[in-house]
Amino acid sequence: MPHAALAQPPRWLSSAQLHPGPAAALSDWLFDQGSLTRRLTALAEQQFSVVPLEEGWQPLRHDECLALGVPSGSQGWVREVYLRGHQQPWVFARSVAARSALQGSGLNLGELGSRSLGELLFSDRAFTRGAIQVCRYPAPWLPSAVRNEQLWARRSCFQRGALAVLVAEVFLPQLWQAAHVDA
């Protein structure tokens, strides 16, 4: 997405760095350590789906390179999807892994299709989840169909040996309506 480079990078913050912190119901979603896929599936009463938008090798954003500990401008696998409930996009997810770590790792993100990466990461006990960070996600980084200012997002890094997969999830207004949360 060429327009994405123009966005001011967000400040990703831990729960301790958020002052003031979000309301309890919102914070419960942002900092939940469990599988977001499972939580969305339950909320959607099994009417959950993953819709791939874009995936392939591309230069990673500067903030992603920093989080993954790779040089700025490194190539990586980028996967962008909607996590949908009742046919509505509830979450925009962007997952990235550096090419240098992904090749030879045995993980082929290109084969996921409409399956959830989160389910894969949570079902493989070799992956450990790093700290969750949150921000207000830059609108230019979102697909035009869901572009909105000031949407809450979270990210965390899943690690298995030398492989790190950075997963960012942007919570869309339709999710908050379905979950009855004021965002």
Side-chain angles (χ1 to χ4, degrees), residues 4-173:
L6 305 175
Q8 182 70 20
R11 265 189 72 218
W12 292 96
L13 303 170
S14 69
S15 62
Q17 294 170 312
L18 276 180
H19 295 291
L26 179 61
S27 196
D28 179 58
W29 279 89
L30 292 174
F31 293 102
D32 183 7
Q33 292 288 330
S35 165
L36 181 61
T37 296
R38 290 180 195 150
R39 191 166 184 183
L40 294 174
T41 300
L43 180 64
E45 300 160 323
Q46 308 304 312
Q47 298 290 313
F48 173 80
S49 60
V50 175
V51 178
L53 302 172
E54 180 179 334
E55 57 186 331
W57 297 109
Q58 56 182 269
L60 300 178
R61 295 191 310 239
H62 181 68
D63 69 304
E64 294 167 337
C65 290
L66 284 175
L68 292 171
V70 297
S72 191
S74 290
Q75 283 279 316
W77 185 263
V78 176
R79 173 178 160 92
E80 294 182 346
V81 301
Y82 284 138
L83 305 179
R84 298 189 324 167
H86 299 287
Q87 305 297 313
Q88 292 188 322
W90 282 358
V91 173
F92 167 73
R94 177 179 166 98
S95 305
V96 301
R99 181 189 292 261
S100 56
L102 194 56
Q103 291 179 326
S105 70
L107 182 65
N108 188 344
L109 297 178
E111 292 179 349
L112 281 171
S114 61
R115 288 179 298 151
S116 164
L117 174 60
E119 273 304 301
L120 173 76
L121 295 173
F122 275 93
S123 65
D124 184 339
R125 294 189 185 279
F127 277 102
T128 57
R129 183 183 205 164
I132 294 175
Q133 299 175 307
V134 300
C135 75
R136 296 295 194 144
Y137 204 73
W141 288 1
L142 291 165
S144 58
V146 296
R147 195 162 295 149
N148 241 308
E149 296 291 337
Q150 299 296 308
L151 295 180
W152 281 105
R154 70 179 192 173
R155 75 175 185 183
S156 56
C157 197
F158 290 81
Q159 195 102 24
R160 184 183 77 192
L163 174 62
V165 181
L166 184 65
V167 179
E169 298 152 330
V170 184
F171 297 91
L172 303 175

